[in-house]
Amino acid sequence: MAVAKFNSEAMEQCRTTVSSQAGQFGAIGDGFSNQYGNPDIFGKLGSSGAVSGAVTAMDQAGAQEFDAAEKVLRKVESTIDVIQTNVDDVEETTKNSFRAV
C-alpha cells in the first residue's frame, strides 16, 4: 500500500507566493486608476477627443484586467489554504484513530 506524502512547506510556499503576486497585480491595477487623457494636451487637433477616449479606454481596460488577475490569484490562495487545512485535519484524524495496544 502506498503511503501518501504531503509537503506542507511546499504548499505554504506556493500559497505565500500566490498571495504576494496577487498583491503585486492589484498594485499595478491601482496605478492605472483615473489616468485619463485630457483632450486639451493635444492642442487643437481634430482627433484630440478620439485619442483621449482611446487613452481612457486603455486605462480602464488595464485596471479591469489587473483587478481580474488579482481576484483569480486570491481564489487560488484561498483554495490552497483550504487544501492545507483539509490535509492537516485528515492527518490529525488519522493520527488520533490509532490506539496504543
Side-chain angles (χ1 to χ4, degrees):
M1 175 187 274
V3 176
K5 293 184 180 181
F6 300 99
N7 188 335
S8 297
E9 290 176 18
M11 285 192 293
E12 179 60 22
Q13 183 179 7
C14 184
R15 189 196 62 74
T16 303
T17 300
V18 168
S19 176
S20 172
Q21 292 298 310
Q24 290 177 10
F25 276 98
I28 292 170
D30 292 345
F32 275 84
S33 299
N34 300 318
Q35 301 297 319
Y36 305 119
N38 184 338
D40 295 339
I41 66 171
F42 301 105
K44 297 183 182 196
L45 296 174
S47 58
S48 295
V51 172
S52 174
V55 169
T56 298
M58 185 186 75
D59 175 70
Q60 291 170 341
Q64 290 171 353
E65 290 300 317
F66 282 108
D67 183 54
E70 180 182 19
K71 287 178 182 175
V72 168
L73 289 171
R74 293 286 179 212
K75 288 179 183 179
V76 170
E77 175 190 9
S78 176
T79 301
I80 292 171
D81 187 51
V82 168
I83 290 169
Q84 283 181 287
T85 300
N86 288 340
V87 167
D88 290 344
D89 289 349
V90 167
E91 287 182 343
E92 186 66 24
T93 300
T94 302
K95 182 181 78 173
N96 292 334
S97 70
F98 291 107
R99 307 256 184 230
V101 179

